[in-house]
Amino acid sequence: MWIELVEGLPGSAVFQPPASESALLRCASSLGHPLPADLDALLRECDGIEGEYEAGLIWSAERIASENRTLREDSELATLYMPFDPLLFFADADNGDLFALLPGLRRPDVFVWNHEDDSRTWVAPSLAKYLEWWLTGQIKL
């Protein structure tokens, strides 16, 4: 379903092989909570999607775990920004800004975190709409 959705949108995309069950379990364990259902399903189809210029449309399970762990545990970042714990980062805008879900609230909405002013702004009602709107240029940062 996810590969077909992205293939039907403008732009180029490179799909990685599906994430293994062990990779998904390690990711959830590292995060301290399960992945949201849509993100889990997407990673089971392809463990990451790269857009043009190798932009991370969807990170791999390993990168999701690593990036979130770094942001949540970095003491220097904690002095500069609001807590990252409520956010689950899964992609980047290739400009320093990051896309995130809110798994603790069980909301399917996608937000963008602005690395310059620490704002967290709603950009899409779901992971599928994020992919559609980002690839068609409807999300402007």
Side-chain angles (χ1 to χ4, degrees):
M1 172 201 137
W2 292 100
I3 292 173
E4 291 82 13
L5 172 81
V6 174
E7 286 179 333
L9 296 169
S12 63
V14 176
F15 303 94
Q16 300 305 315
S20 67
E21 188 66 32
S22 61
L24 293 170
L25 289 171
R26 280 192 310 274
C27 181
S29 176
S30 176
L31 295 169
H33 56 77
L35 291 168
D38 280 349
L39 184 57
D40 184 79
L42 187 150
L43 294 171
R44 288 175 187 279
E45 276 190 49
C46 55
D47 192 16
I49 305 172
E50 291 178 3
E52 292 184 80
Y53 313 109
E54 298 181 12
L57 292 175
I58 302 289
W59 295 336
S60 68
E62 182 179 323
R63 184 164 178 200
I64 289 170
S66 174
E67 296 280 350
N68 281 277
R69 192 172 46 254
T70 298
L71 289 166
R72 293 173 183 181
E73 296 173 359
D74 187 304
S75 58
E76 187 175 328
L77 292 178
T79 65
L80 299 172
Y81 302 114
M82 292 185 286
F84 293 117
D85 293 336
L87 301 170
L88 173 58
F89 296 105
F90 66 88
D92 61 86
D94 208 27
N95 67 356
D97 296 344
L98 304 175
F99 293 102
L101 298 165
L102 297 173
L105 298 179
R106 301 183 199 281
R107 291 177 59 174
D109 303 279
V110 175
F111 293 79
V112 66
W113 169 68
N114 182 306
H115 73 287
E116 293 179 2
D117 64 13
D118 197 26
S119 63
R120 292 112 196 264
T121 306
W122 181 93
V123 292
S126 67
L127 194 58
K129 282 295 179 190
Y130 150 77
L131 287 164
E132 176 188 338
W133 291 353
W134 185 238
L135 289 170
T136 60
Q138 293 180 53
I139 295 175
K140 307 276 189 217
L141 304 180

